[in-house]
Amino acid sequence: MLLHLKQILSPVQVREIRTALQASDWQDGKLTAGHAARQQKSNLQLDERSPLAVELGNALLQILGGREDFMAAALPAKIYPPMFNCYCDGGEFGYHIDNAIRQVPGTPVKIRTDLSMTLFLSKPQDYEGGELVIEDTFGTQCIKLAAGDMVLYPSSSLHRVTPVTKGQRISAFFWLQSLVRDNEQRRTLYQLDQSIQGLRRNRIEDAQADAEHIERLIGVYHNLLRQWSQTN
Ligand code: NI
């Protein structure tokens, strides 16, 4: 499941973060790339141990903790602290699949990467290129979101960032280990949750919306049955 979460950050929050990042010291993104990814990757990254990265990352995690849509879709067990990067001057990241296990720097904590997130901090009209292209069973998706919006996708997906030929593309990116490892099971739980929330909101005021959520619950029933039934 690929999910677009809108307005994680307000325009004011985006501007504050971008201003802080633009004044910071960036380092070569190759420093944190695995051996194979090093040749694929040309971008800039904020040192993840710098006070600014830690402060911004914590603030972002706090905001995400209050987002019901994110929590319901991701069911996070452990979250890798957000990192920040900048693509400019033709910078890109070729096709790759993210490392399966990441150790949180300076700690013994290991995180299995089930879901990858990118939060866009630059306005799409301020740079050219820089699309996040994700290939998976749902087809190839070309993602370039409004500043403050975030995409969440399975870490098992092949993906790349196309060259930024004009302007700067600044974003936050991170991974998490989910309480529910299987993408299909997590998706089914998310759909069930969405319909429960929808029915709770509507009660009996809106018969049309109720019909839509009942239809979705029937769909979830069939998806559970598809996963757990055997015909021979
Ligand atoms: Ni990646």
Side-chain angles (χ1 to χ4, degrees):
M1 181 174 74
L2 182 148
L3 201 66
H4 172 185
L5 300 171
K6 292 185 181 164
Q7 291 185 319
I8 297 289
L9 300 175
S10 69
V12 173
Q13 288 170 317
V14 168
R15 213 174 312 128
E16 282 173 3
I17 293 178
R18 221 172 37 216
T19 305
L21 287 173
Q22 273 161 346
S24 66
D25 286 329
W26 296 95
Q27 55 182 213
D28 192 338
K30 289 187 198 299
L31 288 172
T32 58
H35 186 69
R38 211 162 294 156
Q39 292 167 359
Q40 302 275 75
K41 189 177 180 186
S42 61
N43 68 357
L44 299 170
Q45 251 170 232
L46 193 60
D47 179 353
E48 57 188 313
R49 294 200 201 193
S50 72
L52 180 65
V54 172
E55 183 196 325
L56 294 179
N58 285 340
L60 183 53
L61 290 180
Q62 181 115 31
I63 290 167
L64 286 168
R67 283 284 295 233
E68 284 177 10
D69 49 0
F70 168 74
M71 296 302 281
L75 295 171
K78 292 190 265 183
I79 305 183
Y80 192 92
M83 295 167 71
F84 299 86
N85 64 13
C86 175
Y87 291 84
C88 54
D89 301 325
E92 65 179 312
F93 200 160
Y95 268 124
H96 66 281
I97 289 178
D98 294 339
N99 288 352
I101 308 289
R102 301 202 79 105
Q103 185 160 354
V104 180
T107 78
V109 179
K110 286 196 171 76
I111 294 179
R112 186 188 63 238
T113 56
D114 294 324
L115 287 168
S116 301
M117 276 69 54
T118 296
L119 173 68
F120 288 74
L121 292 167
S122 298
K123 293 181 189 164
Q125 63 269 32
D126 287 351
Y127 61 97
E128 279 176 18
E131 284 96 1
L132 173 62
V133 181
I134 304 170
E135 272 189 24
D136 208 330
T137 47
F138 42 70
T140 299
Q141 304 279 326
C142 223
I143 316 278
K144 188 168 179 173
L145 303 181
D149 286 15
M150 186 172 89
V151 63
L152 172 153
Y153 59 98
S155 301
S156 51
S157 313
L158 192 62
H159 60 280
R160 70 183 174 122
V161 176
T162 65
V164 173
T165 52
K166 202 171 171 189
Q168 277 187 332
R169 175 201 192 266
I170 295 178
S171 64
F173 63 103
F174 59 107
W175 301 271
L176 65 81
Q177 179 172 324
S178 178
L179 294 165
V180 178
R181 179 180 190 166
D182 184 86
N183 283 318
E184 282 299 306
Q185 289 175 341
R186 196 185 321 106
R187 182 173 71 106
T188 300
L189 290 170
Y190 177 66
Q191 289 171 334
L192 193 53
D193 176 80
Q194 289 293 96
S195 284
I196 292 165
Q197 299 303 333
L199 286 170
R200 193 178 269 163
R201 273 194 302 273
N202 300 326
R203 300 281 170 172
I204 49 171
E205 292 158 24
D206 186 343
Q208 181 56 41
D210 273 0
E212 181 202 317
H213 286 291
I214 289 164
E215 203 54 51
R216 283 164 56 148
L217 286 174
I218 294 169
V220 171
Y221 170 82
H222 280 283
N223 285 340
L224 286 174
L225 187 60
R226 203 184 323 278
Q227 282 184 52
W228 296 330
S229 63
Q230 280 190 314
T231 56
N232 52 23

